[in-house]
Amino acid sequence: MSVSRDDFSIAFRSALLQRGGAQKFSVLSLIFLALIIFFLDVYGVKFTKPIRGFINDVVYRVTFLASTPTRFFPQAGKDISSYLSVREENKKLKEQLEKYKSLELNVEFLSDENKNLQKILETEYFNKNLTNIILAKVLVDKNSPFLKSIIINKGTRIGILKGMPVTKDNYLVGRVVETNYLSSRVLLLNDLNSRIPVTLDEGAQAILSGSGGKNPNLEYLPEDYEILENTNVFASGKDGIFNAGTPIGKTTENGEVELFVDPNQLSFVTVNLIKPTKEVF
Amino acid sequence: MAKGNILNKLFASGPLLLLYYLSISEIDTNLEKLFEILSLNLQIIIIYFWIIKRPNLMGTGHIFLAGLINDVVMGFPLGISSLSYLVVCFVGNYVRNKSVNTTIASDWFTFLIALLFANLLFFSLLNNFSDITISYAKISYNTFFTLFLFPVFWFLFNLYQMSFIGVQDA
């Protein structure tokens, strides 16, 4: 009995403290070190923030470089197939161009009319902030099962702050949750930690919460509210972070919201440099 | 002769390079596109297999560093992945100290213990000390598929070991 207990304690101690060969550090010392780093990072001691920011910037750049082959081969395949179908594509694009030319006149007319009407109503033109947006490249888009986020190549150097809304083609994709000097992390709308006040076509208010899956859900809808398919969902702007009226997606038959922008297909996004009225995250 | 040595060293560093590459690159083992709930933690499989079979190829310092890199890329608090990897490493060391011969069945069973400890620590630290919320279901599916697919990678790594590194055990 005592022999087996001795065996256990020897094996246990050896597993924790053993060094030699490639094992330059004992597991126990590294566990302590990892715990210290973890608590320093979580409780945000002042001096750890710039260090973490610097580490983030360096690692994100290296990740971007290391992922080049994985990005290059699928892109090369797409390029070759699009090159082969270039004639057909050209024909289609010409047709589309004609269609858009006629639509553009329509849009211009409606836009002018809208501005004039807003002047009459003495309201601010809600798109006034669109001049204050910056384009950012997606550096890292690692598809984690737990967190849905992307890393962009712009940071505090050009004025990005936590909470700023991130869009693509004027559709909302998420918000900035971590800023470094040269990069930022954007929490996508489908992440489990994402909560956004939204408004539906008919004026109903709700909270759009990420599910961790592809499509987020609507919560806190008015009582007895029945979700209809293909209802447009917009940011309500009630949190003072997102522009009211920014389109997000449309409802599906099972009550989820299908986003207008596929969160897994982002390569460039725009960050709206409005200072959020309150701290987020 | 020298060329052969370089090649041997390169093959011997294969598992470590793979561990670093999985941590730092965009490559992930989240296969939601294939099957909605399919995701696995390949890093833990790599660490456990090589710590049991050839600990001299997988230094604890490298495991710690790979964990830190993984945290930065994934957006987790620093040190949390390192801790879970080191727990796997500790269980692997213990099992290696206690056993003379290992089989796939014994490795699979002990891997379950390592995986449960590692994920329990990961989840409790994240849940109690950080603002990040993660889904219970997702972590359970991840644990299940990591365990379920362990024998597949056991065979692959064993094959790699026999073909490129040599059969001599630790």
Side-chain angles (χ1 to χ4, degrees):
Chain A
M1 192 70 172
S2 67
V3 173
S4 80
R5 201 174 295 157
D6 279 353
D7 273 0
F8 168 79
S9 65
I10 289 166
F12 193 86
R13 251 185 303 161
S14 167
L16 274 177
L17 303 170
Q18 195 179 36
R19 286 163 58 189
Q23 318 291 337
K24 299 233 168 19
F25 309 93
S26 70
V27 172
L28 188 67
S29 61
L30 289 173
I31 286 177
F32 274 122
L33 188 60
L35 275 172
I36 291 167
I37 292 173
F38 175 77
F39 284 112
L40 280 177
D41 192 38
V42 166
Y43 290 111
V45 184
K46 229 176 183 179
F47 71 89
T48 59
K49 218 180 164 192
I51 298 172
R52 168 95 203 221
F54 176 73
I55 295 170
N56 287 352
D57 276 337
V58 173
V59 173
Y60 294 157
R61 253 58 188 183
V62 177
T63 304
F64 178 69
L65 287 177
S67 308
T68 310
T70 58
R71 235 177 276 128
F72 173 75
F73 290 111
Q75 190 56 41
K78 273 185 204 166
D79 288 349
I80 290 167
S81 62
S82 73
Y83 179 76
L84 294 173
S85 59
V86 76
R87 260 185 88 156
E88 203 180 313
E89 200 181 335
N90 189 31
K91 199 181 157 190
K92 270 187 199 167
L93 286 173
K94 272 183 180 170
E95 282 169 11
Q96 276 184 353
L97 189 67
E98 289 303 315
K99 196 177 131 192
Y100 284 124
K101 268 182 185 170
S102 61
L103 279 174
E104 199 187 337
L105 291 171
N106 235 341
V107 170
E108 208 174 316
F109 168 75
L110 287 171
S111 171
D112 286 344
E113 191 185 27
N114 188 18
K115 274 184 196 172
N116 289 332
L117 287 170
Q118 288 197 43
K119 268 180 200 165
I120 293 165
L121 288 169
E122 291 179 343
T123 56
E124 285 179 288
Y125 183 47
F126 87 93
N127 271 344
K128 65 175 181 180
N129 289 313
L130 290 185
T131 50
N132 206 12
I133 58 171
I134 48 147
L135 185 70
K137 187 179 180 177
V138 177
L139 276 184
V140 183
D141 181 10
K142 189 155 180 163
N143 190 10
S144 154
F146 309 124
L147 288 179
K148 310 286 178 198
S149 62
I150 53 168
I151 291 145
I152 55 172
N153 70 340
K154 298 279 161 54
T156 49
R157 191 171 66 126
I158 52 141
I160 290 184
L161 295 172
K162 266 188 190 179
M164 283 180 170
V166 179
T167 55
K168 188 184 184 244
D169 303 334
N170 288 334
Y171 298 126
L172 193 64
V173 292
R175 66 161 186 262
V176 176
V177 289
E178 172 199 289
T179 50
N180 309 302
Y181 187 62
L182 296 171
S183 57
S184 308
R185 183 178 290 274
V186 177
L187 189 77
L188 299 173
L189 294 177
N190 59 337
D191 185 273
L192 199 63
N193 298 278
S194 169
R195 300 277 184 280
I196 286 173
V198 291
T199 180
L200 278 73
D201 267 346
E202 309 89 350
Q205 306 287 319
I207 298 288
L208 184 79
S209 3
S211 60
K214 198 184 171 195
N215 295 332
N217 300 314
L218 287 170
E219 287 178 353
Y220 305 107
L221 278 159
E223 271 181 44
D224 304 326
Y225 184 87
E226 199 180 318
I227 301 173
L228 299 173
E229 203 182 341
N230 286 329
T231 306
N232 288 314
V233 178
F234 306 92
S236 70
K238 284 197 169 178
D239 50 1
I241 298 163
F242 300 105
N243 278 331
T246 312
I248 293 174
K250 58 183 180 191
T251 53
T252 60
E253 57 184 3
N254 52 3
E256 291 180 336
V257 176
E258 189 185 347
L259 300 171
F260 286 133
V261 179
D262 184 352
N264 294 322
Q265 298 290 325
L266 298 168
S267 40
F268 286 92
V269 290
T270 43
V271 184
N272 200 336
L273 295 180
I274 314 167
K275 199 168 181 179
T277 52
K278 59 182 175 187
E279 182 72 23
V280 186
F281 250 69
Chain B
M1 193 68 175
K3 198 180 167 187
N5 267 343
I6 293 170
L7 265 180
N8 286 343
K9 276 189 181 169
L10 199 68
F11 285 133
S13 339
L16 201 57
L17 291 176
L18 181 64
L19 179 69
Y20 273 123
Y21 193 68
L22 283 173
S23 299
I24 207 160
S25 74
E26 267 184 353
I27 288 185
D28 52 67
T29 40
N30 181 23
L31 307 164
E32 279 175 346
K33 281 177 193 163
L34 289 178
F35 181 43
E36 207 184 331
I37 54 170
L38 180 57
S39 74
L40 71 146
N41 198 334
L42 189 53
Q43 280 102 318
I44 285 187
I45 298 180
I46 294 171
I47 292 167
Y48 192 75
F49 179 88
W50 292 102
I51 278 289
I52 279 200
K53 297 285 176 190
R54 302 293 289 262
N56 54 328
L57 303 184
M58 190 67 56
T60 43
H62 289 297
I63 293 170
F64 173 78
L65 195 60
L68 285 185
I69 293 169
N70 190 58
D71 289 332
V72 173
V73 176
M74 296 294 222
F76 291 130
L78 277 186
I80 195 163
S81 297
S82 296
L83 271 169
S84 69
Y85 293 173
L86 288 167
V87 167
V88 171
C89 194
F90 162 68
V91 177
N93 276 341
Y94 178 78
V95 170
R96 203 186 60 246
N97 288 340
K98 286 286 277 182
S99 41
V100 182
N101 257 335
T102 58
T103 60
I104 183 167
S106 66
D107 284 353
W108 201 4
F109 177 72
T110 50
F111 178 68
L112 166 69
I113 299 165
L115 187 64
L116 285 180
F117 274 127
N119 279 354
L120 192 70
L121 182 74
F122 178 83
F123 188 69
S124 5
L125 283 177
L126 211 57
N127 215 20
N128 292 310
F129 296 102
S130 95
D131 300 327
I132 297 170
T133 310
I134 58 170
S135 148
Y136 291 91
K138 291 243 166 186
I139 202 160
S140 312
Y141 290 137
N142 186 272
T143 308
F144 172 75
F145 285 113
T146 307
L147 180 70
F148 185 70
L149 293 170
F150 178 77
V152 176
F153 290 99
W154 191 95
F155 276 115
L156 288 175
F157 293 151
N158 220 17
L159 198 68
Y160 179 86
Q161 187 188 215
M162 285 192 293
S163 315
F164 301 111
I165 302 173
V167 284
Q168 188 197 346
D169 251 17

